[in-house]
Amino acid sequence: MNSFGKKLRELREEQNLTQPQLAKELGVSNAVISYWENDLNEPKASHIEKIANFFNVSTDYLIKPTETLEYIAVFPTAPNLSEIDQNLLTLFHSMTHAQQIRFLAYGEGITGITVSKIPKN
C-alpha cells in the first residue's frame, strides 16, 4: 500500500524535480513538501487538486492507498489529424516526461530518423 507521501515523492523524482522546485511550482514552502512526502502532514483538497493537475494524475490516485497510477491525457484534439496520429498523441501525452524521452529515443532507434534533439528533462 502506497501512502500519499510515497506517491508524491515518486512522482517528483520521476520528473527529476527537487523538493524546492516542486514547492515553487505549487506555491508552498520546501518544508511543506518534506512534511507531505514523509507523511507528517496531508495537503488540503485544493493542494491535492493542484498536485494532481501538475503531475497529470487523478486525485484518486493521490489519496487512495490502493489506486494504481493512470495518467490523464489532457491536450487539445486536432480534427485534421488521422486516427492513428491522434492515438499516438493520446499515448504520448499520457506518459511521464521520462517515458516520453524513452519513447522518442526508441522511435529514432527503430526508424533511423533523428526528429530533434531530445531534451534531458
Side-chain angles (χ1 to χ4, degrees):
M1 212 162 34
N2 287 337
S3 68
F4 171 83
K6 183 174 182 183
K7 290 177 184 181
L8 180 61
R9 181 184 308 267
E10 287 172 355
L11 289 167
R12 178 181 59 77
E13 289 176 348
E14 195 172 81
Q15 295 294 320
N16 296 316
L17 292 171
T18 63
Q19 286 184 346
Q21 288 170 322
L22 180 58
K24 183 177 179 182
E25 290 290 335
L26 299 177
V28 297
S29 70
N30 301 353
V32 167
I33 299 295
S34 179
Y35 291 151
W36 290 345
E37 287 187 358
N38 289 297
D39 293 310
L40 299 174
N41 200 345
E42 290 186 359
K44 297 176 185 176
S46 60
H47 283 119
I48 291 172
E49 187 173 347
K50 207 180 240 190
I51 293 164
N53 289 335
F54 180 79
F55 287 112
N56 199 30
V57 299
S58 70
T59 54
D60 280 351
Y61 169 73
L62 291 172
I63 61 176
K64 292 183 179 177
T66 58
E67 190 73 16
T68 56
L69 179 57
E70 289 184 24
Y71 289 93
I72 301 168
V74 180
F75 61 96
T77 58
N80 59 335
L81 292 178
S82 71
E83 186 176 343
I84 196 162
D85 288 339
Q86 290 212 10
N87 289 342
L88 282 169
L89 279 173
T90 299
L91 287 173
F92 190 79
H93 286 280
S94 69
M95 296 176 190
T96 65
H97 181 75
Q99 291 169 329
Q100 289 173 343
I101 299 303
R102 289 194 302 271
F103 180 82
L104 289 173
Y106 177 75
E108 289 181 349
I110 63 172
T111 63
I113 298 170
T114 301
V115 291
S116 66
K117 183 177 178 183
I118 299 174
K120 295 295 181 204
N121 76 30

